[in-house]
Amino acid sequence: MLTNAGIQYDNAQQAMKSAEEDLLSAKKYWESALIAVEVAGGHLAWARDQVKCIRWERLQSTSYAESVQRISRQELKLETIAHVIATTTPSFWNPWLSKPLEPKNSPNGLRKKAAEHYGDFVVKEDGEIVTKCWITGIRGDQNVVATAHLMPRNATEHFLSSVDVKDVDDARNMIFFCKNIEQAFNDQKLCFLMDSDTGNLILKILHNNTRDEVVFPGSEETIGLFDGKPMKFMEKEVPFTKVLSLHAQTSYAMAKKRNWIDRDVPDPIMYGSPVSFDTITFTDAVPATDTFSTVTCESQMSDTVESVVA
């Protein structure tokens, strides 16, 4: 039985080494991090099964105690590596910081799709669609009022599933903003907070220089004029509020890290249904820390070592 336990321990140790290599590779290439963490999680689950088997055989030898301790140390090391990936690579948990490996071009017809879904638009003789900005009320073609994606088109599958978006080009993932408001939204220089009294989504500017930018090239109105103003929904179905809430949480975290706002400013309340990541999650709200420490891995690596060997 001791020989069998030794073989099981060697196999478990090799699995730990393989998992550690997977996670170190993931740190350098964040796009591969999700796959690497899943693979590492599989190795960890297998190794823990080996520990349980050894315990089940009730081996009381010194080699048993040493094997459990060494495996526990390997698990702790892996959990530390996973934490480093999540806390030092913001794009791992913030889709608005993600950069696509290859540009993801928008298919034709998205503007028409969104306009028809929400209503209140006009088609000009040349086929150009004129619609209204949901913040300023200004009407214009695509040179004035852009069709804005809430969750970016290059967002990976785990981001989409976390907010229940099955199709990034779903009409509810698109709204209409004046050109420069859309850009500021994508850059997380502004976001939308929920007014707990009225339920309205209120524009909040996080970057002061954004206040002086015009709402679209050639306009005389600045974005700052609309700070604190509510988003004006169309009469039809509202957009994905969970995406807007996630955007607000991550925007506040980045604004504090970039010193755009004070770090003691309260984080925004979450609205929409709770966000549920398969591999990472937020606790209540993203805090203003250099390490974004509330972002945690929820794979099998998140179990404590004590729960495995106890």
Side-chain angles (χ1 to χ4, degrees):
M1 292 182 68
L2 286 175
T3 301
N4 184 42
I7 294 174
Q8 291 174 336
Y9 164 70
D10 289 340
N11 289 339
Q13 187 178 45
Q14 183 60 39
M16 293 299 96
K17 181 179 179 181
S18 176
E20 184 174 6
E21 292 173 352
D22 290 337
L23 283 172
L24 287 173
S25 175
K27 182 179 178 182
K28 183 176 180 181
Y29 302 102
W30 81 267
E31 281 284 345
S32 302
L34 298 177
I35 298 175
V37 169
E38 290 177 2
V39 171
H43 288 311
L44 283 171
W46 184 88
R48 285 171 173 156
D49 286 341
Q50 302 308 304
V51 174
K52 292 177 182 178
C53 287
I54 297 172
R55 284 179 53 80
W56 182 77
E57 292 175 2
R58 298 181 181 279
L59 298 177
Q60 301 299 322
S61 67
T62 303
S63 60
Y64 160 70
E66 290 179 349
S67 68
V68 170
Q69 290 176 2
R70 294 183 67 178
I71 291 175
S72 297
R73 287 196 295 269
Q74 290 287 347
E75 288 180 322
L76 183 60
K77 185 184 294 185
L78 285 169
E79 290 175 355
T80 301
I81 294 171
H83 175 73
V84 169
I85 292 173
T87 58
T88 62
T89 311
S91 56
F92 188 80
W93 55 266
N94 186 343
W96 292 274
L97 293 180
S98 305
K99 302 298 181 184
L101 297 180
E102 296 181 2
K104 192 172 183 180
N105 296 323
S106 299
N108 295 327
L110 289 186
R111 185 176 178 84
K112 181 179 180 182
K113 177 181 179 179
E116 290 179 343
H117 177 81
Y118 292 116
D120 195 10
F121 68 97
V122 174
V123 180
K124 297 166 60 176
E125 291 183 359
D126 60 1
E128 181 64 59
I129 294 176
V130 174
T131 189
K132 182 172 63 175
C133 171
W134 288 20
I135 299 300
T136 66
I138 294 173
R139 293 182 180 274
D141 59 19
Q142 61 183 350
N143 296 315
V144 175
V145 180
T147 308
H149 273 79
L150 299 181
M151 181 66 75
R153 296 202 72 254
N154 61 293
T156 56
E157 179 59 32
H158 87 284
F159 283 124
L160 297 177
S161 61
S162 72
V163 288
D164 299 329
V165 176
K166 296 181 179 179
D167 178 7
V168 74
D169 292 324
D170 189 307
R172 293 184 63 199
N173 192 45
M174 295 182 282
I175 56 180
F176 298 105
F177 288 151
C178 284
K179 293 282 288 186
N180 290 345
I181 293 179
E182 179 209 22
Q183 187 59 56
F185 177 87
N186 292 337
D187 293 339
Q188 296 192 288
K189 294 180 178 179
L190 57 80
C191 62
F192 292 90
L193 310 180
M194 175 167 284
D195 186 319
S196 58
D197 294 328
T198 65
N200 290 332
L201 295 180
I202 306 300
L203 176 67
K204 174 64 177 179
I205 295 176
L206 301 173
H207 187 242
N208 277 333
N209 291 349
T210 300
R211 297 176 182 277
D212 297 327
E213 296 181 16
V214 294
V215 296
F216 66 87
S219 174
E220 295 182 355
E221 293 186 290
T222 63
I223 298 177
L225 293 175
F226 301 94
D227 189 25
K229 301 296 183 182
M231 184 184 293
K232 304 169 184 175
F233 296 119
M234 302 295 188
E235 294 182 357
K236 293 190 176 182
E237 195 172 16
V238 299
F240 289 127
T241 54
K242 265 202 290 192
V243 179
L244 288 167
S245 179
L246 177 61
H247 179 270
Q249 296 291 317
T250 55
S251 294
Y252 260 65
M254 295 310 298
K256 291 178 180 182
K257 185 171 178 64
R258 293 164 173 166
N259 295 318
W260 292 349
I261 59 177
D262 292 335
R263 293 187 176 238
D264 58 356
V265 172
D267 293 309
I269 62 171
M270 298 187 76
Y271 52 90
S273 301
V275 177
S276 56
F277 284 89
D278 290 333
T279 53
I280 53 179
T281 185
F282 294 99
T283 60
D284 292 337
V286 178
T289 64
D290 290 332
T291 58
F292 302 98
S293 59
T294 57
V295 185
T296 59
C297 288
E298 281 193 335
S299 67
Q300 294 177 359
M301 288 180 292
S302 64
D303 298 332
T304 63
V305 173
E306 289 78 13
S307 68
V308 177
V309 299

